[in-house]
Amino acid sequence: LFHIGGMEQGQEVSLSQADGTSEALAESACALLQQLQEAQAREIEQLRRQQETELADLKRQLADPISSRASFFTQEKRQFIQLVKGALKGKDSREYKELYHFLLKCFTDADNNFDGRVGFKEFEMLIEVAAFWPRRFGYAPSTPELYETDWTRLQARVTLFKTLKQPDADYITFGTWLDYAIGHISEKAKSLQASDMISRMDESPQDFKEFIIAAARSRKSREFKELYHFVLKCFTDADTDFDGLIDVHSFSLLVDVAAAVPRRFGFAPEASEMYSSESHKMEARARIFESLDPEGTGRIDFDTWLHYIYTHICEKTAFLGESGDVPDIVASKPADSAYPRPFLGFK
């Protein structure tokens, strides 16, 4: 039965009894159904094409272990630069609103007693949380890089906090934090370049050489921060059972993946040139692994892998005219327990 609006309540008319109007409605319904089917078919086709594209990208990444691991960091860095640059266009921009909400989240995360205010101890947390993003890409120095000791950090943070808070207050508000952060970011954004969106790790032999030399010279460099995330991605990809550790077999694969970068540009020999057979390669890798696992646990952690691969890279730069020395880890010296406390009285 076909129910047609506009007729007397409760009255039903069969399709066979319908007049010209009902036939027109039936035709319209059929046409609408056909349109819906066509739209659904287009959506299915679009989804199929999208899946084919994603599958092709995945196959390309699997075939190119360098790009699949180096590009994820570059993509995140590109998004960061675009966000910061876009936010400078004004408050109406999408990027500004995204940055606003990021800074708001930093503030509310630091406001651990939920009073809408941030005291000095919370301010320390606020600075660290907000600085994580630019520090990740090497656009801001880490706390140990910026301050030689904990005491110098406290002095600088107290001075900054005092300039932001009202004279009769021991806290800052979100509005104060937002004004300061936007102004600070706007100033720093002037140094961002479009060329920063491209990784020099896999561009050309000369770019790779300059990149690896810079990474080996200093742990403070942007290149080292990118190298760190690259070898971290290699490690987590090798950690197939997700326990934060890798065994000797995963270690061997890990070395091959990491070595693919210098091998691409002729800075390292192929495995076939170094080892007469696969078993010969595994024996050599097992000896290296044993040196990294003196307790014989059969597993190594990321910090062990990072120390090994960075030391290896630094030593190899001696063939590029560098010293081959491994830079020290940057760490702040602890403050004296008897240091003055000018921030007493702050929340």
Side-chain angles (χ1 to χ4, degrees), residues 160-173 176 346:
L160 175 59
F161 185 76
K162 285 182 175 180
T163 63
L164 297 179
K165 75 180 188 66
Q166 295 296 319
D168 57 345
D170 62 354
Y171 61 84
I172 64 170
T173 63
T176 301
F346 292 160

Side-chain angles (χ1 to χ4, degrees), residues 10-11 14 21 25 66 70 75 104 121 178 198 213 226 231 255 262 267 300 306:
Q11 185 176 4
S14 68
T21 302
L25 288 174
I66 303 173
Q75 290 169 1
L104 175 62
K121 292 181 181 178
L178 181 66
I198 302 173
I213 287 175
E226 182 173 346
V231 298
V255 171
F267 290 102
I300 63 170
L306 176 63

Side-chain angles (χ1 to χ4, degrees), residues 187-201:
E187 185 64 27
K188 296 296 183 181
K190 295 178 181 178
S191 63
L192 296 178
Q193 305 295 327
S195 58
D196 294 338
M197 298 185 188
I198 302 173
S199 172
R200 292 194 300 157
M201 183 186 292

